[in-house]
Amino acid sequence: MVPLPTLNVGGVTIAYRLDGPLEGSPAVLLHALASNSATWTRLTRDLVSVGRLVIAPDLRGHGTSARTGDYRLDSVQRDVIGVLDALDIAEFDLIGHSLGAHIAALLAGRRPDRVRKLVLEDPPPPPRSGEPRPPKRGVALTLALQGLLRAFDRRMVPQILTQLRAPDPLWWDGLAAIKAPTLVISGGPRSHVPLDRLEDLTAGIPHAKLITIDAGHRVHSTRPAEFRDAVLSFLAG
C-alpha cells in the first residue's frame, strides 16, 4: 500500500488523500470517530467522476495521522483548516459524517467565508444544557477494542465522547453563523442519533434542509447509491 502524503500542520502530522483534477471544484470529506479517510473511497470516485477535486484527511489520532494525546474538537477543526491552507484551497464544499459532521458544523460556523455548501451526515449534536452525560460504557469499550485492530489512538475515544456528550451552547449558537446552504442527512430510526435532535440542528442553520435515508448511522456505507445521489444533487443544485 502506498503511504498517504502528509503535511505538518502546527506541529501535527496530518495524512490526507487528494484525488481528482487539481482544477476541479474542491470537496472536503471528514470521517467519523474510529474511522479514517478510506471510508470515503466510493464517494470520492463519484465526486471525481463529475470533475471534483477531493481532499480527505485522516483526522488526528486516526489512520496515519499523528497520535497527539490532545483530542480537543477545536484542535481537530484547526488541523482541517491548516491542511486546506497548506494546499492553497480557499473555498470548498464540506461533507462530514458523525464526528466529522460535528467538526464540519464547527468549522462552517467559524469560517463561513470558506464553506460554499455543507453536508452533515447523521451528526451527533451535543446537549444544549444540563449535566454532562458520561459516555456509554458499551460504546466506549467497543471503540477502544476496535483500536486494537484499526489504526486509531484508543486514548482518543473517551476524550472525544466526553466532549460530544457535554452541554455546548456555543456549538449550538455557532450554527446561526453558517452561511452555506446545508443538507442534513438522518440515518432514520436505526441510527442512535435522535431525529428530533437533528430537526433542532437543522432549524438552527439559516439555509438548511433535513432528509432521512433509512440506513442507520453509516448512511454513506450502508446505502451508498442513495447517499451519492442526494449529495451530488445537492452540490450541483
Side-chain angles (χ1 to χ4, degrees), residues 164-222:
L164 292 177
R165 297 177 68 83
D168 190 353
L170 291 179
W171 185 88
W172 285 95
D173 291 345
L175 299 178
I178 296 174
K179 294 181 179 178
T182 300
L183 177 65
V184 181
I185 301 177
S186 166
R190 288 187 285 168
S191 171
H192 65 274
V193 180
L195 180 60
D196 60 349
R197 298 280 289 281
L198 295 186
E199 290 171 340
D200 287 348
L201 181 154
T202 304
I205 300 174
H207 308 289
K209 66 177 181 178
L210 171 66
I211 66 170
T212 296
I213 298 175
D214 187 11
H217 187 53
R218 293 175 53 83
V219 183
H220 72 280
S221 295
T222 307

Side-chain angles (χ1 to χ4, degrees), residues 1 5 13 43 57 71 102 106 151-152 158 161-162 175 194 197 213 230:
M1 181 180 295
T13 299
L43 183 62
Y71 297 112
H102 184 100
L106 180 64
F152 68 86
L161 289 180
T162 296
L175 299 178
R197 298 280 289 281
I213 298 175

Side-chain angles (χ1 to χ4, degrees), residues 87-189:
L87 295 174
D88 197 27
I89 294 173
E91 296 183 352
F92 47 89
D93 295 326
L94 183 58
I95 300 167
H97 171 228
S98 194
L99 168 64
H102 184 100
I103 297 297
L106 180 64
L107 190 159
R110 293 189 177 182
R111 301 304 303 269
D113 55 315
R114 300 188 66 168
V115 180
R116 292 183 301 210
K117 289 193 174 182
L118 178 64
V119 178
L120 305 176
E121 177 193 351
D122 221 39
R128 285 183 182 271
S129 60
E131 294 298 318
R133 297 177 298 168
K136 293 182 179 178
R137 181 174 176 79
V139 174
L141 180 60
T142 298
L143 291 171
L145 290 174
Q146 286 177 353
L148 297 174
L149 303 174
R150 298 182 184 176
F152 68 86
D153 187 350
R154 286 177 293 161
R155 298 175 299 168
M156 167 185 60
V157 173
Q159 288 190 45
I160 288 183
L161 289 180
T162 296
Q163 292 174 84
L164 292 177
R165 297 177 68 83
D168 190 353
L170 291 179
W171 185 88
W172 285 95
D173 291 345
L175 299 178
I178 296 174
K179 294 181 179 178
T182 300
L183 177 65
V184 181
I185 301 177
S186 166

